[in-house]
Amino acid sequence: KTNTAESTLCVVDTPIRRMTRFDYNKTDRDLFGDVTQPANALPPEEEVAGFNNQAAALTVSNFLADQYMKIAEGVSERATADLAVLQPDCDAATDGEELCADRFIEEKGRQAFRRPLTPEESARLRGLYDFAKADPDMGTHVEGLQLVIQAMLQSPHFLYRPEFGGADPVEPGVVRMTDHEMASKLSYMLWNTMPDAARFAASGPRELRTKAQIAAQARRMLEDDRAKDALRNFHRQWLLLTHLDTASKDTTIYPAYYDGLRPLWGEEVEAFAEHVILESEGTLSELLTAPYSMMNAELATFYGDDVVGTPPAGAEFERVELDPSHRAGLMTQGGLMAALAYGNQTSPVHRGKFVREQLLCQSLPLPPADLVIVPPELDPTKTTREQFEEINASEECAGCHALINPVGFGFESLDAVGLWRDEQNGKPIDSSGELIATEDINGPFNGPVELAQKLAASDEVARCVMTQYFRFSYNRTVTQEDSCNLEPLGEAFRASNYNVRELLVALTQTDAFLYRRPVVTEGGGQ
């Protein structure tokens, strides 16, 4: 961190970031109009601190480099299938192939590298084009463009987002990001893709320097549909919706379940969060306590009597009012409850652990290394709560489960597919719970709606949500050096009444986002 007598700015080292598969697919879509999502063929990223976009884990193996080559070849073939679409402003037949090649290199190179090409880079790419045309096994304009595209997509200037900063220090030991770096930084944070044409135009000299300029760009970008992609990516990971990909339920116990529910569950959570943040009040309280959700006709049929008023009639997702005594925001939606349950029963442990780790950012102790964790066998004479109270009462388990189970039991009114229930095995459901070891919401509660209301009123929860967005948006974990950035960020979040949209704008205003230390070369220069 730079924070000395000579400097008043709180600057933290900026890691170099590699594209994730999600980033690659969205960038490929915007660069070449390719919607085949080719990066899905790449190996999955390693998750760190709950997210798969953490810079420290995004290394490149020999195998991954080989896969980049293969998917670049496929992208180049699809991109050149129709030259009129690829390059509508240049016709090789009338304008000349060389002119169109040069124009393509400059225009697509600028987009792919998120900055103008250097003369040396342009010359190298033109050299590849000339090589392909001169090769007797190639020899065409199309094959020349294909080789250029392959080189662009395998370049570190495409795959990585380096941020070296400008040459002029704003304070001793601190430099500002260049305008092109800032344009790219904003774009991948808020859209998970490259800047658009307006952003490229706005990243000319001194267009993205002041906080006001950058905040204005962030607000403009949040009005764009591409902001939905990044929000859905964040919520899919933060809320563990990836667990739905492999979820399955015993239909003899849960006859309402069928595999077609999984994508509907995921869409509900993502569409709801998107609606709250981008179209409604945008507050954390609304996310956690809203008595409505987003559904289509099929999903509304699944929820049954919990849908109040007129349900949707078609396949499109729309706002649906719900029974406020049963439903409150994210925490009671079927997808989340199903992702945090077993195939044949609920899991108070998974649900309580989710609240502790994802909403309170608390670190729980690991279970004993030799402990084999298996859910209890179903007992038709007992409720799930009774069984979990028994198996977690042992001395080696009790310490940790005293934090987890009393929270997870509060969700017992919602079964393993997220439907409301008042009894199990002929016994009334006990969904009473208690929060302990929190900063500001200790105490009893009854049921998931009361729990959601307590969480929505917690400063600790708000700070955790802010931290989760920080990790995802900055592609790194929080360190001790970040305290001087987190404090003003938290103040801005609080002043906005915990508005998530305003939090996203505030994340573009920290010293850690705006500045970096100068990059020192091997020879000692900057």
Side-chain angles (χ1 to χ4, degrees):
K1 179 183 69 174
T2 299
N3 192 1
T4 66
E6 295 81 18
S7 174
T8 61
L9 297 173
C10 180
V11 181
V12 178
D13 285 336
T14 301
I16 190 169
R17 300 164 174 88
R18 174 174 65 79
M19 282 190 190
T20 64
R21 295 178 301 164
F22 191 87
D23 297 336
Y24 192 111
N25 286 335
K26 298 305 178 184
T27 305
D28 177 41
R29 175 200 64 188
D30 295 339
L31 187 58
F32 295 116
D34 183 6
V35 295
T36 64
Q37 303 189 63
N40 289 353
L42 298 173
E45 297 87 3
E46 179 185 352
E47 288 190 7
V48 175
F51 298 104
N52 67 5
N53 67 348
Q54 302 296 283
L58 294 176
T59 56
V60 176
S61 64
N62 290 336
F63 176 77
L64 181 57
D66 183 64
Q67 294 302 302
Y68 277 136
M69 180 184 69
K70 291 180 180 179
I71 66 172
E73 291 170 350
V75 171
S76 72
E77 291 176 3
R78 291 186 292 273
T80 56
D82 188 339
L83 293 186
V85 174
L86 176 66
Q87 200 174 13
D89 59 343
C90 197
D91 184 346
T94 57
D95 298 320
E97 293 179 347
E98 284 71 20
L99 175 63
C100 288
D102 286 337
R103 189 175 295 175
F104 177 85
I105 288 169
E106 294 304 320
E107 293 176 352
K108 287 300 181 182
R110 175 186 174 90
Q111 293 175 338
F113 291 2
R114 282 87 67 179
R115 58 166 174 76
L117 300 182
T118 66
E120 293 78 14
E121 289 168 336
S122 297
R124 284 197 294 270
L125 291 170
R126 177 57 193 270
L128 286 173
Y129 172 83
D130 293 339
F131 170 81
K133 287 202 67 178
D135 191 308
D137 294 328
M138 299 183 190
T140 68
H141 175 62
V142 167
E143 288 166 319
L145 293 182
Q146 288 178 353
L147 195 58
V148 168
I149 291 172
Q150 292 168 32
M152 286 179 179
L153 296 185
Q154 293 177 80
S155 168
H157 298 287
F158 173 76
L159 295 171
Y160 288 88
R161 293 187 284 126
E163 295 166 359
F164 299 118
D168 299 326
V170 293
E171 287 190 2
V174 178
V175 294
R176 181 184 286 109
M177 301 297 169
T178 69
D179 292 298
H180 291 291
E181 288 171 347
M182 182 54 67
S184 184
K185 190 164 188 163
L186 280 167
S187 188
Y188 279 92
M189 173 183 151
L190 297 174
W191 286 350
N192 287 164
T193 186
M194 67 185 214
D196 62 354
R199 290 288 307 288
F200 276 123
S203 60
R206 309 192 70 81
E207 290 296 325
L208 289 174
R209 296 295 182 92
T210 68
K211 286 188 174 183
Q213 288 174 327
I214 292 167
Q217 285 292 325
R219 294 185 192 283
R220 179 188 75 83
M221 294 176 67
L222 289 171
E223 296 293 328
D224 191 284
D225 280 347
R226 276 165 286 200
K228 297 176 181 179
D229 292 335
L231 279 176
R232 285 171 174 253
N233 189 17
F234 169 77
H235 287 96
R236 190 177 306 117
Q237 296 187 60
W238 173 44
L239 300 175
L240 308 183
L241 297 183
T242 51
H243 293 186
L244 287 177
D245 296 341
T246 56
S248 184
K249 305 297 175 181
D250 188 333
T251 55
T252 62
I253 302 173
Y254 305 107
Y257 174 79
Y258 56 99
D259 288 343
L261 280 171
R262 294 199 309 245
L264 298 178
W265 280 334
E267 178 66 18
E268 178 192 4
V269 178
E270 293 174 9
F272 169 76
E274 175 188 300
H275 174 82
V276 169
I277 295 170
L278 297 180
E279 300 174 25
S280 189
E281 296 299 319
T283 63
L284 179 59
S285 177
E286 187 175 0
L287 272 176
L288 295 178
T289 65
Y292 71 86
S293 189
M294 304 293 288
M295 298 182 191
N296 64 3
E298 185 177 355
L299 192 58
T301 299
F302 166 76
Y303 276 100
D305 291 342
D306 273 357
V307 175
V308 299
T310 305
E316 296 298 316
F317 275 63
E318 58 186 73
R319 176 168 168 160
V320 174
E321 302 303 316
L322 300 173
D323 183 344
S325 68
H326 292 179
R327 305 289 169 177
L330 290 170
M331 300 302 299
T332 59
Q333 291 177 355
L336 191 60
M337 291 293 94
L340 301 173
Y342 294 110
N344 62 356
Q345 60 188 301
T346 62
S347 175
V349 174
H350 284 102
R351 292 173 175 182
K353 184 172 181 284
F354 174 88
V355 171
R356 290 287 178 185
E357 294 183 339
Q358 304 304 109
L359 292 173
L360 289 164
C361 290
Q362 295 180 353
S363 297
L364 296 171
L366 294 173
D370 59 348
L371 182 65
V372 178
I373 302 175
V374 293
E377 293 291 332
L378 296 181
D379 185 336
T381 68
K382 297 178 180 178
T383 65
T384 300
R385 178 172 187 145
E386 289 173 330
Q387 289 192 268
F388 272 84
E389 285 177 332
E390 292 173 1
I391 67 171
N392 294 142
S394 64
E395 184 176 346
E396 62 180 352
C397 298
C400 188
H401 285 279
L403 296 171
I404 297 173
N405 290 20
V407 180
F409 289 145
F411 293 101
E412 277 299 286
S413 296
L414 297 167
D415 67 17
V417 295
L419 291 179
W420 189 267
R421 61 182 182 179
D422 292 309
E423 62 176 40
Q424 181 186 13
N425 293 331
K427 295 185 175 183
I429 289 291
D430 179 2
S431 61
S432 62
E434 184 178 12
L435 282 159
I436 62 172
T438 72
E439 295 180 3
D440 53 7
I441 50 172
N442 285 349
F445 63 88
N446 188 25
V449 173
E450 281 191 20
L451 173 58
Q453 291 167 346
K454 288 178 76 71
L455 294 169
S458 168
D459 286 339
E460 186 177 5
V461 169
R463 189 169 62 253
C464 176
V465 172
M466 179 189 73
T467 300
Q468 301 282 19
Y469 270 100
F470 184 102
R471 292 169 178 164
F472 180 80
S473 300
Y474 287 11
N475 311 122
R476 63 178 178 84
T477 57
V478 178
T479 69
Q480 290 184 340
E481 293 180 320
D482 285 308
S483 59
C484 50
N485 285 298
L486 290 174
E487 184 175 346
L489 188 62
E491 291 174 357
F493 194 26
R494 191 178 307 110
S496 71
N497 191 30
Y498 299 114
N499 184 293
V500 177
R501 194 166 53 246
E502 290 303 310
L503 171 62
L504 291 169
V505 175
L507 281 162
T508 72
Q509 304 292 289
T510 69
D511 290 346
F513 188 84
L514 298 168
Y515 309 105
R516 65 156 298 132
R517 296 168 176 164
V519 175
V520 180
T521 64
E522 188 174 346
Q526 293 184 4

